Amino acid sequence: PIFMDELWALLLSAQDHPAGIPQQFIDDKKNEMKRKQEEAERLKEELAARKAGKLPAAPVPLAPDPPPEEEKKKAPPPPKPKASPHHLQPTIEVQNPALIAKALQSGGPDSLAA
């Protein structure tokens, strides 16, 4: 029911909007763009301050710790399952090999009818 209530509100909002987009989606996108813009400006100011020598250089990230010995010794992958009979190609039992040979030489089964 909560899902349907939210969906219904979005559908009603989309119906009222000229482009057919719910106002909540537009507001969410505007807020996201504003946050990204503010983050970009903050990073730009921080970079300018670092270049001017007002802030220390950014710390260099350390290499990740090596995995514990238990993780290194992982069990081998399980063996692949054997093919079951339904994966095999069907075999055709030839009743009359001479007739099949004649059909192949003469151009197909239609030529045997004559």
Side-chain angles (χ1 to χ4, degrees), residues 95-113:
Q95 298 292 328
N96 190 342
L99 186 60
I100 292 176
K102 182 178 177 186
L104 291 174
Q105 290 173 351
S106 64
D110 294 335
S111 61
L112 294 177

mmCIF file of all heavy atoms in Angstrom, residues 95-113:
data_model
loop_
_atom_site.group_PDB
_atom_site.id
_atom_site.type_symbol
_atom_site.label_atom_id
_atom_site.label_comp_id
_atom_site.label_asym_id
_atom_site.label_seq_id
_atom_site.Cartn_x
_atom_site.Cartn_y
_atom_site.Cartn_z
ATOM 1 N N GLN A 95 18.585 -47.155 -41.199
ATOM 2 C CA GLN A 95 17.895 -48.392 -41.570
ATOM 3 C C GLN A 95 18.436 -48.967 -42.874
ATOM 4 O O GLN A 95 18.593 -50.166 -43.006
ATOM 5 C CB GLN A 95 16.385 -48.133 -41.721
ATOM 6 C CG GLN A 95 15.715 -47.667 -40.453
ATOM 7 C CD GLN A 95 15.678 -48.743 -39.382
ATOM 8 O OE1 GLN A 95 15.590 -49.932 -39.684
ATOM 9 N NE2 GLN A 95 15.755 -48.332 -38.134
ATOM 10 N N ASN A 96 18.713 -48.068 -43.830
ATOM 11 C CA ASN A 96 19.159 -48.546 -45.129
ATOM 12 C C ASN A 96 20.313 -47.666 -45.591
ATOM 13 O O ASN A 96 20.099 -46.657 -46.262
ATOM 14 C CB ASN A 96 17.999 -48.509 -46.129
ATOM 15 C CG ASN A 96 18.328 -49.206 -47.429
ATOM 16 O OD1 ASN A 96 19.489 -49.427 -47.744
ATOM 17 N ND2 ASN A 96 17.289 -49.545 -48.181
ATOM 18 N N PRO A 97 21.571 -48.009 -45.260
ATOM 19 C CA PRO A 97 22.706 -47.172 -45.630
ATOM 20 C C PRO A 97 22.838 -46.986 -47.134
ATOM 21 O O PRO A 97 23.246 -45.928 -47.594
ATOM 22 C CB PRO A 97 23.912 -47.902 -45.069
ATOM 23 C CG PRO A 97 23.391 -48.973 -44.192
ATOM 24 C CD PRO A 97 21.960 -49.159 -44.499
ATOM 25 N N ALA A 98 22.477 -47.973 -47.913
ATOM 26 C CA ALA A 98 22.601 -47.859 -49.370
ATOM 27 C C ALA A 98 21.655 -46.794 -49.899
ATOM 28 O O ALA A 98 22.010 -46.020 -50.796
ATOM 29 C CB ALA A 98 22.319 -49.204 -50.025
ATOM 30 N N LEU A 99 20.455 -46.708 -49.358
ATOM 31 C CA LEU A 99 19.486 -45.707 -49.794
ATOM 32 C C LEU A 99 19.967 -44.304 -49.442
ATOM 33 O O LEU A 99 19.834 -43.374 -50.235
ATOM 34 C CB LEU A 99 18.129 -45.986 -49.147
ATOM 35 C CG LEU A 99 16.966 -45.123 -49.605
ATOM 36 C CD1 LEU A 99 16.732 -45.290 -51.096
ATOM 37 C CD2 LEU A 99 15.724 -45.461 -48.836
ATOM 38 N N ILE A 100 20.563 -44.126 -48.257
ATOM 39 C CA ILE A 100 21.085 -42.821 -47.849
ATOM 40 C C ILE A 100 22.252 -42.430 -48.742
ATOM 41 O O ILE A 100 22.353 -41.280 -49.185
ATOM 42 C CB ILE A 100 21.478 -42.833 -46.361
ATOM 43 C CG1 ILE A 100 20.205 -42.959 -45.524
ATOM 44 C CG2 ILE A 100 22.255 -41.576 -45.980
ATOM 45 C CD1 ILE A 100 20.424 -43.075 -44.064
ATOM 46 N N ALA A 101 23.133 -43.351 -49.055
ATOM 47 C CA ALA A 101 24.262 -43.063 -49.935
ATOM 48 C C ALA A 101 23.776 -42.650 -51.308
ATOM 49 O O ALA A 101 24.287 -41.698 -51.902
ATOM 50 C CB ALA A 101 25.171 -44.276 -50.026
ATOM 51 N N LYS A 102 22.762 -43.316 -51.815
ATOM 52 C CA LYS A 102 22.209 -42.986 -53.131
ATOM 53 C C LYS A 102 21.598 -41.584 -53.104
ATOM 54 O O LYS A 102 21.768 -40.795 -54.031
ATOM 55 C CB LYS A 102 21.159 -44.017 -53.535
ATOM 56 C CG LYS A 102 20.576 -43.785 -54.895
ATOM 57 C CD LYS A 102 19.578 -44.866 -55.241
ATOM 58 C CE LYS A 102 18.941 -44.562 -56.586
ATOM 59 N NZ LYS A 102 17.863 -45.499 -56.890
ATOM 60 N N ALA A 103 20.894 -41.231 -51.987
ATOM 61 C CA ALA A 103 20.286 -39.914 -51.870
ATOM 62 C C ALA A 103 21.344 -38.817 -51.812
ATOM 63 O O ALA A 103 21.185 -37.770 -52.430
ATOM 64 C CB ALA A 103 19.398 -39.855 -50.631
ATOM 65 N N LEU A 104 22.430 -39.074 -51.131
ATOM 66 C CA LEU A 104 23.499 -38.071 -51.043
ATOM 67 C C LEU A 104 24.178 -37.872 -52.386
ATOM 68 O O LEU A 104 24.533 -36.762 -52.740
ATOM 69 C CB LEU A 104 24.531 -38.493 -49.976
ATOM 70 C CG LEU A 104 24.028 -38.435 -48.530
ATOM 71 C CD1 LEU A 104 25.068 -39.012 -47.605
ATOM 72 C CD2 LEU A 104 23.700 -37.007 -48.131
ATOM 73 N N GLN A 105 24.359 -38.937 -53.145
ATOM 74 C CA GLN A 105 25.015 -38.834 -54.448
ATOM 75 C C GLN A 105 24.124 -38.178 -55.482
ATOM 76 O O GLN A 105 24.578 -37.455 -56.363
ATOM 77 C CB GLN A 105 25.429 -40.212 -54.950
ATOM 78 C CG GLN A 105 26.558 -40.818 -54.153
ATOM 79 C CD GLN A 105 26.848 -42.262 -54.563
ATOM 80 O OE1 GLN A 105 26.093 -42.871 -55.333
ATOM 81 N NE2 GLN A 105 27.905 -42.823 -54.021
ATOM 82 N N SER A 106 22.811 -38.440 -55.382
ATOM 83 C CA SER A 106 21.914 -37.952 -56.426
ATOM 84 C C SER A 106 21.379 -36.544 -56.189
ATOM 85 O O SER A 106 20.730 -35.990 -57.051
ATOM 86 C CB SER A 106 20.738 -38.935 -56.567
ATOM 87 O OG SER A 106 19.997 -38.943 -55.363
ATOM 88 N N GLY A 107 21.605 -35.989 -55.039
ATOM 89 C CA GLY A 107 21.177 -34.618 -54.822
ATOM 90 C C GLY A 107 20.084 -34.455 -53.790
ATOM 91 O O GLY A 107 19.399 -33.462 -53.786
ATOM 92 N N GLY A 108 19.835 -35.406 -52.966
ATOM 93 C CA GLY A 108 18.874 -35.243 -51.887
ATOM 94 C C GLY A 108 17.752 -36.244 -51.934
ATOM 95 O O GLY A 108 17.623 -37.007 -52.885
ATOM 96 N N PRO A 109 16.919 -36.247 -50.925
ATOM 97 C CA PRO A 109 15.856 -37.239 -50.832
ATOM 98 C C PRO A 109 14.770 -37.069 -51.882
ATOM 99 O O PRO A 109 14.102 -38.023 -52.247
ATOM 100 C CB PRO A 109 15.282 -37.056 -49.427
ATOM 101 C CG PRO A 109 15.739 -35.723 -48.991
ATOM 102 C CD PRO A 109 16.993 -35.414 -49.737
ATOM 103 N N ASP A 110 14.613 -35.855 -52.445
ATOM 104 C CA ASP A 110 13.572 -35.644 -53.454
ATOM 105 C C ASP A 110 13.890 -36.419 -54.725
ATOM 106 O O ASP A 110 12.979 -36.821 -55.448
ATOM 107 C CB ASP A 110 13.422 -34.162 -53.770
ATOM 108 C CG ASP A 110 12.907 -33.372 -52.574
ATOM 109 O OD1 ASP A 110 12.236 -33.976 -51.712
ATOM 110 O OD2 ASP A 110 13.183 -32.171 -52.501
ATOM 111 N N SER A 111 15.167 -36.636 -55.011
ATOM 112 C CA SER A 111 15.529 -37.338 -56.235
ATOM 113 C C SER A 111 15.248 -38.837 -56.145
ATOM 114 O O SER A 111 15.210 -39.539 -57.133
ATOM 115 C CB SER A 111 17.006 -37.123 -56.565
ATOM 116 O OG SER A 111 17.800 -37.638 -55.516
ATOM 117 N N LEU A 112 15.005 -39.362 -54.932
ATOM 118 C CA LEU A 112 14.706 -40.797 -54.758
ATOM 119 C C LEU A 112 13.276 -41.124 -55.107
ATOM 120 O O LEU A 112 12.948 -42.267 -55.402
ATOM 121 C CB LEU A 112 14.981 -41.211 -53.312
ATOM 122 C CG LEU A 112 16.435 -41.147 -52.849
ATOM 123 C CD1 LEU A 112 16.515 -41.508 -51.382
ATOM 124 C CD2 LEU A 112 17.308 -42.068 -53.666
ATOM 125 N N ALA A 113 12.413 -40.150 -55.108
ATOM 126 C CA ALA A 113 10.988 -40.401 -55.348
ATOM 127 C C ALA A 113 10.766 -40.854 -56.800
ATOM 128 O O ALA A 113 9.813 -41.571 -57.089
ATOM 129 C CB ALA A 113 10.176 -39.158 -55.059
#
